[in-house]
Amino acid sequence: MSEQEKPKNTPLVEMQGIFKSFGSVDVLRGVDFVVNRPEIIGLLGDNGAGKSTLIKILTGVHMPTHGQIYFEGQPVSITSPHDARELGIETVYQDLALIPLISIARNFWLGQELTRQIGPLKVLDHQRMADKAREALRDIGINIRSAEEPVGMLSGGERQSIAIGRAVYFGKKLLILDEPTSALSVKQTAEVLNYTRRAKESGLSVIFITHNIAHVHEVADRFTIIRGGRKVGDFKKEDVSEMEVAHMVMTGQVPERLSLVPETEE
Amino acid sequence: MSQSFSSLMNSSPSDAQQRNQALAKLGITLFLLVIVGIASLIISEQILTGWLALGERANIPRTDLNPIEIAVMIGTAIWGLISLWTVFGFLRHSSPPSIKSYFGGNHSAMSPGILLTIALLGVIGVISLVIGEQILTGWLALGERVNISRRDINWVEWTVIAGTGIIGIISLRTVYGLITRDKRAWAWAQWVVLAVALVGLTILISGSFDLPNIIPSDASILDNLPGVQEFTAPGLLIFLSCIAVYRFMTMEVDVAPDTVIRNMLAKTPGAGAIVGFFALLIFFSLASDLFLEQKSIASLLATNITRGLVAIGITFLMISGEFDLSVGSVFGAGALVFLLMMTEGLTQGTLIGVPAIILGLIAAGWGYNKRNNFQIFAGLGAFVLGLLAMASLQTTVITSVIPAMLIALAFAALLGYINGNILISTGIPSFIVTLGTLLAYRAILLIVVADGRILRYADYRLPDPFIYLNRYLLAIVGLVVAVIVLLIGYSLLRSAWTSLRERLSTYRTDTNDFRDFFVFSAAFRLLFNMVVVLGAAGILVSLSLNQLNLAGTESTLEISFFDVLNARFDFVASDVNLRIGVLWWLMLVLIFQFVLMQTSYGNHVFAVGGNPGAARAQGINVNRVKILNFMICSMLACLAGIISVARLANVDPLMGDGLELEVIAASVIGGAMLTGGYGSIIGSLLGVLIFGMLQTGLVLIGVDSRAFSGVIGVIIIIAVVINTLARQARK
């Protein structure tokens, strides 16, 4: 769909031949990773497969030993989390998204607070911060009781949702969700998946990192599976069943019926 | 009965549970009402039989009852009957008539409970207005005066007149609302009854404190039972009646005033401190006549300036998730540098050497990081040259006081930077880092002030450090600040005015139970802002004009810098030790509270302490915030040291020893969390004041001063428990 709309058929992010070693340990051994726009891509792999290292390279926490990253077709070098933010990459970590003891509005605007001028002073505009935060969250379907409530009072799902809402509001291009649902109840998981879909509808691409296929199968357009520092493969959702994906995550074996399809497409 | 049982059987378990809870709550209400009813009837009977006299008479078996006695007798008799009748009414009904069903139109105003509420509020309203009227007409005097027909009503009396007037009018308006089934009266009645319950409690407590006066120490309470009754019964009766009615009113609501107040407190980090502050204030002022004297208040403030200033910094730092044990030593070291700079002065060697040493070390450190050997050697070279310069060039260049203060503050900032930098670069917890620097910085004092001496300003035989200010310049600065205050005030007033107008325009459509209250508070805010802004600007303008006036005769103002920092105010009595330092302290509290709550930096401080990972993910430079806060904390400790030098004019090598723990205790009492992310500067002010109140109060009521630290220990633990409970209450 998006290919027809956009004249330039460039993916949002293209990581080519990413190789990363810590000392003598090779964590990533030449991984290619593509994120189109807008799409939800499930990045799957067991613990220690290398998926978080791959993402940390994308968000500037680590530098790749070899390999090149293209963002919107341009070669970029992301040397710090700050660079990643400048490009429009927002990461929502499982526990690190929000500050529990301060209000939703303060959290929402953290780092880019709204101020008003009072005489010579720049003072936080609490009213506008609360109103706009509530509006922005309502736009993607999150209804909060009051923006003055501390985040600590919200459930895990609501917190993730607010972090997602914030990324959407600030016009980010790529949202990375790191195991967003692993600590949530079934109902809250459904909520978060719902907002993830909304985020895509508003034009973002989403990388959904998980080791549990059940959480992401419903919303993802594509899966990338990593095992032992290598990519097992990219699969479109229609081509592959939930069971097959789970099997590949565990064993790294691509079923024969699939092994030819993705290669020819790319 | 059978009907209520069947309804219990049919309802779901949670409904039954709720019903049981409601009945249990009603049970306590009924118990209270039985006590109130019987007690009222007894009082009435006692007056009738002459056992209890009101007014000044001695003959006990008497028939000449005065009007007050007749009024009280009839009043208590009726009140007792209504209470008991209410109890019977509740017991007779299988499903107790509730206030909610009354507003639903199911019961008449004569139902038990409703009538009780209406009667109580009516009595409160009438009595309040009568008391106000009596004070106004001079019949009832408060304070120490005898002439009855008088026009000079004092401020205590004005306050009481205003208070009783407001309570009286609100009560009567609420009675009207209750009769006409206006649902808002329900909310107002809760507030009135709760407020009057507190008044009753206060009367009861202050009455109890007078008991020792009417009972000789060798007699028992039984010897003067009427006296005891006269002092305790009114308060007790008011309190119990109000609580009983309050319980009835709140049987089925979630937004009862106590819940509202609890939620408000839960949002405030200093909740425990606010409650503790007022509890201690009331307790000590009732327990000791000396406590609320000007003298005691002034000395309480003056002796806590040091702790207060340091506590601001510690709290600020604590909110960002770190704390600083070295403040006591920085306090002493800062004071030392200030004193030395004024007396010994700054030598050329120091002027050149210290920057060389610091820059050299920084360059060397950088070089080490970048593995650049040349830079390391250059840095170390600068370091050695700096040391040599300090040793060889001894000509004194600066001895004035303001540079001395700035140098001391810069020195403290450096000490704070070292604290922060060690913490950031090594990742060692701040407890260990600052424990180390606590000892290290103390060594500066111990080495410089050798041999157990005390460094005294007087030993140098110098005059007080005078500063000279041009009065014209002073006046201009004052006027400029006044204009800034007016500009800020204009924005504040405009926003207050907007919110008041909004409240008024939506008043008719607003369905909130407290809509009148919101209008009141918006109007009050506008008025308060206006008074503060115009008052501050007015004071500044008049001070400036005063300076302009004086400039005609003498154009420079000569003033001792010690006086600027911490002079004694001379508009109070000579034995009242009120000091300017208190003003600096309060001003800094307001400034830092403002920074914390109203600026982006404050938001970053909360974020860094609450969840450093999330703060970093939002692009906040966590390390920079922490190092800055360490520097702020040290500079405030140093300022406290400077102010202390201004007062004492000496530096003891052990100055500020143990200060750190006192201050951390005060901050914790004030609601700051050791783990960071939560706290308030106003809370630190209250924490320090609680600390100080205990210190003076315990002495005044005759507790052995050696027990002080024990009491403080218990208070800290209680405060933290209250703060934790308050935080949990909002979940």
Side-chain angles (χ1 to χ4, degrees):
Chain A
M1 299 162 281
S2 65
E3 285 98 55
Q4 285 156 7
E5 286 161 20
K6 302 230 177 205
K8 277 204 291 179
N9 190 11
T10 54
L12 180 67
V13 175
E14 201 171 355
M15 298 172 82
Q16 284 183 355
I18 300 296
F19 193 96
K20 176 70 182 173
S21 54
F22 292 107
S24 61
V25 185
D26 296 337
V27 182
L28 293 175
R29 306 171 198 180
V31 175
D32 298 333
F33 182 55
V34 177
V35 181
N36 297 314
R37 55 185 158 185
E39 71 168 351
I40 300 176
I41 181 161
L43 181 59
L44 291 145
D46 213 342
N47 290 340
K51 58 187 193 304
S52 35
T53 309
L54 183 68
I55 289 310
K56 278 178 178 163
I57 287 171
L58 182 56
T59 55
V61 178
H62 297 317
M63 293 284 287
T65 315
H66 302 298
Q68 180 61 50
I69 305 174
Y70 297 90
F71 195 83
E72 296 181 316
Q74 303 294 321
V76 288
S77 107
I78 303 173
T79 55
S80 76
H82 184 75
D83 291 353
R85 280 175 61 81
E86 291 284 292
L87 289 172
I89 301 174
E90 178 88 5
T91 315
V92 177
Y93 296 101
Q94 190 186 321
D95 297 319
L96 296 182
L98 302 167
I99 288 104
L101 285 169
I102 65 179
S103 71
I104 295 171
R106 275 171 172 257
N107 261 296
F108 192 90
W109 296 100
L110 183 61
Q112 39 215 324
E113 291 84 358
L114 296 176
T115 55
R116 66 196 162 112
Q117 200 82 18
I118 289 192
L121 301 169
K122 268 199 173 158
V123 174
L124 290 185
D125 193 340
H126 293 291
Q127 191 66 45
R128 210 151 55 92
M129 274 166 45
D131 290 348
K132 289 188 95 174
R134 203 166 49 232
E135 257 170 52
L137 292 173
R138 200 181 45 218
D139 284 350
I140 67 159
I142 305 166
N143 280 309
I144 51 172
R145 290 174 290 273
S146 148
E148 301 294 338
E149 265 181 44
V151 166
M153 290 176 69
L154 305 175
S155 70
E158 287 172 313
R159 290 186 213 189
Q160 295 285 352
S161 311
I162 284 173
I164 295 170
R166 181 171 62 186
V168 173
Y169 179 81
F170 286 110
K172 301 292 181 183
K173 293 167 185 159
L174 176 64
L175 180 62
I176 300 172
L177 302 175
D178 189 4
E179 302 270 359
T181 51
S182 59
L184 300 185
S185 70
V186 175
K187 184 164 166 264
Q188 288 176 356
T189 303
E191 269 173 34
V192 170
L193 295 181
N194 190 17
Y195 298 131
T196 310
R197 213 179 279 126
R198 295 272 194 123
K200 179 192 158 195
E201 280 163 17
S202 62
L204 270 80
S205 297
V206 182
I207 302 176
F208 200 112
I209 307 165
T210 182
H211 58 263
N212 189 342
I213 173 66
H215 285 164
V216 70
H217 193 266
E218 190 191 332
V219 289
D221 302 312
R222 231 157 36 96
F223 305 107
T224 295
I225 299 165
I226 292 186
R227 187 180 159 81
R230 288 204 173 85
K231 185 161 83 172
V232 178
D234 282 316
F235 306 96
K236 286 194 169 166
K237 184 158 105 179
E238 337 39 300
D239 298 338
V240 54
S241 75
E242 204 173 316
M243 279 303 291
E244 282 168 332
V245 174
H247 187 73
M248 281 187 280
V249 170
M250 276 196 296
T251 62
Q253 302 291 317
V254 180
E256 251 176 57
R257 112 185 141 71
L258 293 170
S259 53
L260 293 173
V261 183
E263 304 296 332
T264 50
E265 263 199 9
E266 288 201 10
Chain B
M1 251 351 226
S2 64
Q3 199 188 354
S4 75
F5 270 125
S6 67
S7 72
L8 275 179
M9 298 296 283
N10 290 337
S11 56
S12 64
S14 68
D15 279 357
Q17 224 167 19
Q18 275 175 0
R19 175 68 62 90
N20 286 340
Q21 276 171 2
L23 283 175
K25 200 165 179 183
L26 188 63
I28 297 171
T29 312
L30 294 182
F31 179 68
L32 286 174
L33 281 177
V34 170
I35 294 178
V36 168
I38 293 175
S40 304
L41 289 179
I42 289 176
I43 291 174
S44 176
E45 178 270 341
Q46 287 179 337
I47 296 175
L48 186 66
T49 54
W51 195 77
L52 184 69
L54 296 173
E56 291 157 6
R57 275 164 323 128
N59 58 327
I60 287 301
R62 68 226 147 77
T63 46
D64 55 338
L65 294 174
N66 61 27
I68 298 183
E69 286 173 329
I70 293 172
V72 172
M73 186 179 80
I74 297 174
T76 46
I78 294 175
W79 182 241
L81 288 175
I82 292 180
S83 304
L84 292 179
W85 178 74
T86 307
V87 175
F88 282 120
F90 275 127
L91 291 180
R92 213 171 28 136
H93 283 264
S94 53
S95 59
S98 70
I99 188 123
K100 196 173 181 182
S101 57
Y102 170 73
F103 282 110
N106 291 341
H107 299 280
S108 79
M110 293 297 284
S111 321
I114 313 293
L115 182 67
L116 184 84
T117 311
I118 291 175
L120 179 70
L121 285 166
V123 170
I124 290 172
V126 171
I127 291 186
S128 300
L129 290 180
V130 168
I131 291 176
E133 180 268 340
Q134 287 185 339
I135 297 174
L136 197 61
T137 54
W139 196 80
L140 183 69
L142 297 173
E144 295 158 3
R145 270 155 334 120
V146 278
N147 57 328
I148 288 301
S149 64
R150 67 228 147 77
R151 293 193 164 63
D152 55 335
I153 293 173
N154 62 29
W155 64 269
V156 179
E157 290 171 327
W158 277 123
T159 317
V160 177
I161 290 169
T164 50
I166 290 171
I167 288 189
I169 291 168
I170 291 179
S171 309
L172 294 182
R173 173 67 178 80
T174 307
V175 167
Y176 175 73
L178 282 172
I179 292 170
T180 56
R181 303 192 190 217
D182 179 351
K183 215 173 171 187
R184 275 172 291 139
W186 187 3
W188 281 97
Q190 293 170 35
W191 287 94
V192 172
V193 171
L194 197 68
V196 177
L198 289 177
V199 172
L201 191 63
T202 314
I203 295 176
L204 176 63
I205 292 172
S206 64
S208 324
F209 275 107
D210 287 335
L211 280 182
N213 300 335
I214 58 160
I215 304 168
S217 56
D218 52 344
S220 84
I221 289 178
L222 292 174
D223 294 339
N224 190 0
L225 217 45
V228 173
Q229 200 180 327
E230 204 181 319
F231 276 103
T232 55
L236 197 61
L237 206 58
I238 294 173
F239 179 68
L240 290 182
S241 305
C242 288
I243 292 299
V245 170
Y246 178 72
R247 292 186 69 93
F248 171 66
M249 303 287 297
T250 57
M251 218 152 61
E252 300 162 283
V253 281
D254 303 330
V255 284
D258 57 346
T259 322
V260 173
I261 293 171
R262 212 167 45 226
N263 284 348
M264 254 154 60
L265 284 177
K267 272 191 196 159
T268 322
I274 293 171
V275 173
F277 176 79
F278 283 108
L280 284 178
L281 188 69
I282 292 171
F283 174 76
F284 281 127
S285 35
L286 291 176
S288 162
D289 292 338
L290 299 172
F291 188 75
L292 272 189
E293 284 200 347
Q294 270 191 350
K295 238 191 298 187
S296 319
I297 296 173
S299 89
L300 193 155
L301 291 171
T303 49
N304 283 294
I305 295 171
T306 298
R307 268 188 218 124
L309 285 173
V310 181
I312 296 172
I314 283 280
T315 308
F316 214 70
L317 185 59
M318 241 189 217
I319 294 171
S320 64
E322 304 294 339
F323 71 100
D324 187 351
L325 287 175
S326 72
V327 282
S329 302
V330 174
F331 168 75
L336 175 74
V337 171
F338 176 60
L339 192 66
L340 283 180
M341 284 302 139
M342 277 191 308
T343 53
E344 307 277 354
L346 189 66
T347 61
Q348 279 175 343
T350 323
L351 198 61
I352 301 166
V354 171
I357 289 173
I358 294 168
L359 290 177
L361 283 179
I362 291 174
W366 242 350
Y368 180 76
N369 268 351
K370 289 198 285 183
R371 312 242 183 284
N372 183 337
N373 284 336
F374 171 74
Q375 212 167 354
I376 296 176
F377 283 120
L380 289 179
F383 176 75
V384 173
L385 283 178
L387 282 182
L388 284 176
M390 279 182 77
S392 57
L393 303 172
Q394 297 288 358
T395 325
T396 304
V397 281
I398 299 173
T399 53
S400 19
V401 60
I402 292 198
M405 180 165 138
L406 295 179
I407 289 168
L409 286 173
F411 177 71
L414 176 70
L415 296 185
Y417 180 80
I418 293 173
N419 279 341
N421 208 22
I422 296 176
L423 181 102
I424 298 300
S425 53
T426 61
I428 300 172
S430 53
F431 180 82
I432 305 294
V433 172
T434 57
L435 183 65
T437 51
L438 157 77
L439 300 168
Y441 298 162
R442 177 62 63 194
I444 299 174
L445 282 136
L446 292 171
I447 290 168
V448 174
V449 191
D451 313 327
R453 278 190 307 142
I454 291 177
L455 207 59
R456 285 193 186 82
Y457 189 75
D459 290 346
Y460 289 90
R461 305 187 184 289
L462 292 167
D464 263 14
F466 282 104
I467 53 173
Y468 303 92
L469 298 167
N470 187 314
R471 285 190 197 271
Y472 290 109
L473 200 66
L474 216 56
I476 290 169
V477 170
L479 289 174
V480 168
V481 176
V483 169
I484 292 173
V485 166
L486 283 175
L487 278 177
I488 295 174
Y490 173 69
S491 315
L492 291 175
L493 285 179
R494 206 177 46 184
S495 79
W497 171 239
T498 318
S499 73
L500 176 62
R501 223 176 34 197
E502 253 169 47
R503 285 284 173 210
L504 282 175
S505 65
T506 56
Y507 181 78
R508 283 182 178 284
T509 50
D510 195 351
T511 51
N512 195 301
D513 288 344
F514 299 113
R515 62 178 192 181
D516 311 70
F517 180 72
F518 289 142
V519 172
F520 278 145
S521 70
F524 180 77
R525 196 178 128 207
L526 181 66
L527 204 68
F528 181 78
N529 284 353
M530 214 181 308
V531 170
V532 169
V533 168
L534 293 180
I539 290 174
L540 282 167
V541 169
S542 77
L543 285 176
S544 308
L545 292 180
N546 190 29
Q547 288 301 324
L548 276 182
N549 203 14
L550 288 170
T553 51
E554 191 188 39
S555 67
T556 45
L557 170 71
E558 189 189 273
I559 185 172
S560 160
F561 195 67
F562 287 170
D563 285 346
V564 173
L565 288 174
N566 206 8
R568 188 199 292 266
F569 279 112
D570 52 7
F571 60 80
V572 286
S574 63
D575 59 342
V576 176
N577 190 14
L578 191 62
R579 286 177 176 272
I580 291 183
V582 175
L583 216 61
W584 301 137
W585 171 22
L586 296 181
M587 224 159 77
L588 284 166
V589 166
L590 291 180
I591 289 174
F592 277 94
Q593 178 75 13
F594 180 84
V595 170
L596 196 60
M597 299 311 295
Q598 305 294 341
T599 67
S600 306
Y601 185 73
N603 204 23
H604 299 172
V605 170
F606 275 116
V608 165
N611 188 342
R616 206 170 276 126
Q618 291 307 311
I620 289 166
N621 191 336
V622 173
N623 293 350
R624 193 178 133 250
V625 170
K626 284 193 174 178
I627 289 182
L628 252 174
N629 281 358
F630 266 108
M631 291 168 72
I632 289 172
C633 181
S634 292
M635 285 167 79
L636 281 166
C638 172
L639 185 67
I642 290 171
I643 286 184
S644 159
V645 167
R647 180 172 176 184
L648 305 170
N650 65 43
V651 172
D652 167 352
L654 289 179
M655 182 175 173
D657 195 29
L659 179 68
E660 56 285 336
L661 292 181
E662 289 174 8
V663 168
I664 289 172
S667 296
V668 169
I669 292 174
M673 253 166 78
L674 270 177
T675 43
Y678 199 68
S680 91
I681 308 296
I682 303 271
S684 86
L685 170 77
L686 292 175
V688 170
L689 289 180
I690 286 175
F691 205 94
M693 278 202 296
L694 283 170
Q695 224 167 12
T696 30
L698 290 177
V699 174
L700 286 178
I701 64 171
V703 173
D704 192 329
S705 62
R706 285 170 294 183
F708 172 69
S709 70
V711 175
I712 282 285
V714 174
I715 295 279
I716 291 175
I717 292 171
I718 293 176
V720 174
V721 169
I722 292 177
N723 286 338
T724 314
L725 289 178
R727 258 201 312 281
Q728 282 166 354
R730 59 181 189 175
K731 289 196 175 158

